[in-house]
Each structure stands twice: as structure tokens, then as C-alpha cells.
Amino acid sequence: MDAPIRLGMLTPSSNTVLEPVTAAMLAGLPGVTAHFARIRVVAIDLGAGSRAQFDTGPMLEAAGLLADARVQAICWNGTSGAWLGLEQDRAICEAITRATGIPAVTATLALMEALTLLGARRLGLVTPYLGAVQEAIVARWAAAGLDVVAERHLEDPGNFSFADHPEALVAQLVREVAQAGPEAIAIHCTNFRGAGAVASLEAETGIPVLDSIAVSLWAALRAAGAPTGGLAGWGQLFRLEGMPRKY
């Protein structure tokens, strides 16, 4: 990198996987650093209390603190837009950019962008979530023109406990949904141990695997105007090219 790239990452407060995995990825990309601010998130369900965790106010406060570090992009590393709706993530991004002048992305909007570049509409979905949350995701994605042809979830209310599931289990769930022949597989949770298995799973199944931590980092780099190809060892996602777009 000719000049340092600083990425601002908004992080669910009980998440323990995102930061070390992001750091491991960036260890191979000199000149790029990630800087984290936390949003209180302790449970994932469809109740009003859980929904309130994702209000714009706390996001803006944390984004303002990241802006003090002069980051070139801000990413909400949470997947709430998958069940609350893409419009909520769009509103968060617009509010952050309006308040800070910094481009903003989210894990779910980044996934939509990656799927568009792949031309993938038939998906496999792997999460640790409750069945009700999984059903809401499938319905939201159907409304966006995506067909979830196979899914696996673990009925875990999380959020802290999502990190307790080993990478081997996540990989097995990916293998199971791969049997339905989807055009891409989403591991959609940033406190889930999937990123380290992506490259081997892609080689084994021949299907693109889009892990939320990887997708968030990919989108943040693109929003900051930085190349992503140096991370191709973490999956074919990082070889995707095309102008970032809004969803």
C-alpha cells in the first residue's frame, strides 16, 4: 500500500471471533489495519428487545468515535439486516456517511454485492440462529429475489455462545447444504467460526462460500478504495472485481 488504509469496524459487543479472524486476514496485507468499536448486542431473536439493539443511535455514536481515527471506511460487522431487512442496513449506512463523511457498508449488504458479482441466486445458508430468525432471513432474501435451496441452523439464541461452535461443525453444515447444488453458500454470522475453512470447502465442493467476516472485510476494503486480491488465499470472494454499488 502506498498509504496506510484504516478500516473502522462496528462490532457486536459479545462477539469474540470477528476481531482475531480479521486480524489474521490482515496479517497478510501490509499497510491495512482494522479498528473496532462495539455496539451492545447480547441476544439474537425476533423480540422487541433484540431489535432495539440495532437502532441507529448507538451505531452513530460508535461510528463517530471511529471517525476520530480517520478511517477510510466504516463497516457494521453485524448480520441484523438479514432478518430486519436491507432497508434498515441502508438507513444505517446513509446515517453514518451523512454524519461522518465516510463511506459505510454492512455485512448483509456486502453479501448482496458479492452475490450480484457472482451471479448467484440459488443459495445455501448456514447460521447458528434460532429457527424463527432463520425463517425471517429466508423470507427477506426471497423478497430480494434469492432462493435458499438448503439451510442449516443450530437453534442457538447467542450471541456470545455462537463462538463456542467449532470450525469443524460449521464446515460440516456447509457440506450438507452443498448437496443441494446451490450457486453459492453463505455462512451468515460474524461470531461463527467459518472463515478459516472457506478455501478448503470451496476446493472440496466447487461452490463459492461467503463467510460474513470475510465478506465484511472485503466490502470495507472496497469502500476504502483498497485492492482485495492479496487475500485470495481466504477464498475466491477476494478475487471478485467490479465497482462497489448501493443496495
Side-chain angles (χ1 to χ4, degrees):
M1 298 292 175
D2 294 331
I5 298 291
R6 294 177 295 275
L7 306 176
M9 302 302 210
L10 297 173
T11 309
S13 60
S14 51
N15 189 317
T16 60
V17 175
L18 170 67
E19 289 151 312
V21 171
T22 300
M25 289 181 168
L26 291 181
L29 207 59
V32 181
T33 53
H35 307 272
F36 296 87
R38 288 180 177 258
I39 305 298
R40 184 168 297 282
V41 176
V42 295
I44 302 298
D45 56 53
L46 298 183
S50 179
R51 293 176 65 93
Q53 298 173 122
F54 308 110
D55 288 346
T56 305
M59 300 274 189
L60 286 178
E61 182 177 359
L65 297 177
L66 287 172
D68 291 345
R70 300 184 184 182
V71 297
Q72 286 100 328
I74 295 175
C75 179
W76 162 229
N77 285 256
T79 55
S80 53
W83 62 89
L84 297 180
L86 297 179
E87 63 277 6
Q88 175 149 330
D89 271 15
R90 293 189 193 104
I92 288 169
C93 291
E94 290 170 3
I96 288 172
T97 300
R98 186 167 56 247
T100 66
I102 299 169
V105 295
T106 76
T108 300
L109 293 178
L111 176 65
M112 298 298 108
E113 182 178 347
L115 292 172
T116 297
L117 291 175
L118 285 167
R121 290 293 173 184
R122 298 179 67 259
L123 308 181
L125 174 62
V126 171
T127 79
Y129 302 140
L130 296 172
V133 175
Q134 192 86 333
E135 290 172 6
I137 294 173
V138 171
R140 291 284 189 181
W141 289 4
L146 302 175
D147 181 16
V148 176
V149 298
E151 64 83 18
R152 294 291 187 275
H153 62 280
L154 297 178
E155 287 293 336
D156 187 340
N159 185 68
F160 178 82
S161 56
F162 295 161
D164 292 336
H165 303 292
E167 183 180 283
L169 173 58
V170 181
Q172 180 56 36
L173 298 178
V174 169
R175 292 187 184 99
E176 291 174 9
V177 300
Q179 294 176 13
E183 295 169 331
I185 297 170
I187 303 172
H188 206 54
C189 173
T190 60
N191 200 29
F192 211 30
R193 301 185 185 279
V198 165
S200 62
L201 286 167
E202 289 183 334
E204 177 183 336
T205 66
I207 299 170
V209 179
L210 303 174
D211 172 80
S212 288
I213 296 175
V215 166
S216 297
L217 179 55
W218 171 78
L221 286 166
R222 285 163 58 82
T228 64
L231 297 179
W234 289 86
Q236 61 181 283
L237 164 73
F238 292 100
R239 294 192 293 270
L240 292 179
E241 297 180 354
M243 290 296 293
R245 65 189 73 195
K246 293 184 177 180
Y247 289 88

